[in-house]
Amino acid sequence: MSERRKHATGSPFEKAAAYSRAVRQGPFVHVSGTTGYDYVSMEMPTDVADQARNCFTTIAASLEALDASLKDIVRVRYYVTKPEHFEAVAPVLAEFLSGIDPAATMIVCNLIKPEMLIEIEVTAQVG
């Protein structure tokens, strides 16, 4: 059985809901749904594109903490609060994932706080 490793950002949400930002089991790294907070300042930008950039910054750091990187992403799920957010975030998605081109799904839904406009979840496979 392969070792299970976890990574936390220190977000108060992780402790309150008893989850890890990312878990690595064998070659797979599963990164929990990540919103656009800057987890150092706990500030949330009002712009959905800026939130998406923060999501990827947090995701990249979590992957790196578990010896992976954005290039290892094989699956991504985007949760947005409005369909029109796609136009604003598409360039950000391309900025971080162009050439990696993982399988992807975008879902329109409500998120748990009104300031949250996007949440991104990824699965990576290393090696």
Side-chain angles (χ1 to χ4, degrees):
M1 178 162 247
S2 59
E3 174 189 10
R4 179 182 174 115
R5 296 169 50 204
K6 300 181 282 186
H7 174 70
T9 63
S11 160
F13 300 119
E14 295 165 357
K15 183 170 179 137
Y19 72 94
S20 297
R21 175 66 45 202
V23 176
R24 181 168 180 168
Q25 183 90 34
F28 292 100
V29 181
H30 302 274
V31 181
S32 295
T34 301
T35 60
Y37 283 102
D38 173 331
Y39 285 105
V40 173
S41 67
M42 283 308 293
E43 292 180 5
M44 175 73 82
T46 57
D47 179 74
V48 69
D50 290 337
Q51 287 189 25
R53 281 185 191 87
N54 281 358
C55 292
F56 278 112
T57 298
T58 300
I59 290 167
S62 294
L63 289 169
E64 185 177 316
L66 296 173
D67 303 317
S69 71
L70 293 175
K71 69 177 176 50
D72 297 312
I73 295 173
V74 294
R75 181 79 169 109
V76 61
R77 288 175 186 86
Y78 306 103
Y79 305 92
V80 294
T81 56
K82 296 180 182 178
E84 53 269 24
H85 287 329
F86 175 77
E87 297 298 325
V89 300
V92 178
L93 309 182
E95 176 186 335
F96 285 90
L97 298 176
S98 184
I100 300 165
D101 307 328
T105 301
M106 185 171 286
I107 299 164
V108 178
C109 62
N110 291 321
L111 296 174
I112 63 170
K113 291 192 175 251
E115 66 268 20
M116 296 174 176
L117 305 177
I118 187 168
E119 187 168 334
I120 302 173
E121 166 188 354
V122 306
T123 302
Q125 184 174 6
V126 181

